[in-house]
């Protein structure tokens, strides 16, 4: 699976809980590619974003051939 390289088209974030959506928005993350570039550790460090959000993002990223950065 490819990691985000920053040269692909952007895909909107999936439907996610309100707290997780606010956490991503407050970090300026508006696309799946931006979320992938931040990586799991950084995303889990956002207040309101948890393991369920990671699972949802992973599933959506897999659909477009990407994964969370290391």
């Amino acid at each position: 699976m490819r990691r985000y390289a920053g040269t692909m088209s952007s895909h909107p974030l999936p439907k996610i809980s309100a707290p997780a959506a606010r956490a991503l928005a407050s970090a300026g993350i508006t696309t799946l590619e931006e979320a992938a570039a931040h990586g799991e550790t950084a995303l889990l460090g956002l207040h309101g974003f948890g393991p369920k959000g990671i699972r949802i993002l992973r599933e959506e990223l897999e659909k477009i051939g990407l994964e969370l950065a290391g």
Side-chain angles (χ1 to χ4, degrees):
M1 204 174 288
R2 296 178 310 204
R3 293 188 189 273
Y4 176 64
T7 59
M8 301 174 179
S9 62
S10 59
H11 295 83
L13 292 169
K15 185 169 176 90
I16 200 163
S17 72
R22 284 191 300 270
L24 293 173
S26 71
I29 300 169
T30 60
T31 67
L32 279 172
E33 290 79 6
E34 290 170 346
H38 278 76
E40 181 175 347
T41 302
L43 294 174
L44 288 173
L46 299 175
H47 179 72
F49 198 90
K52 184 175 180 182
I54 292 292
R55 181 184 54 78
I56 292 168
L57 287 180
R58 277 199 175 123
E59 290 171 0
E60 293 302 310
L61 287 166
E62 186 175 326
K63 291 178 185 177
I64 61 170
L66 296 177
E67 61 185 18
L68 292 170

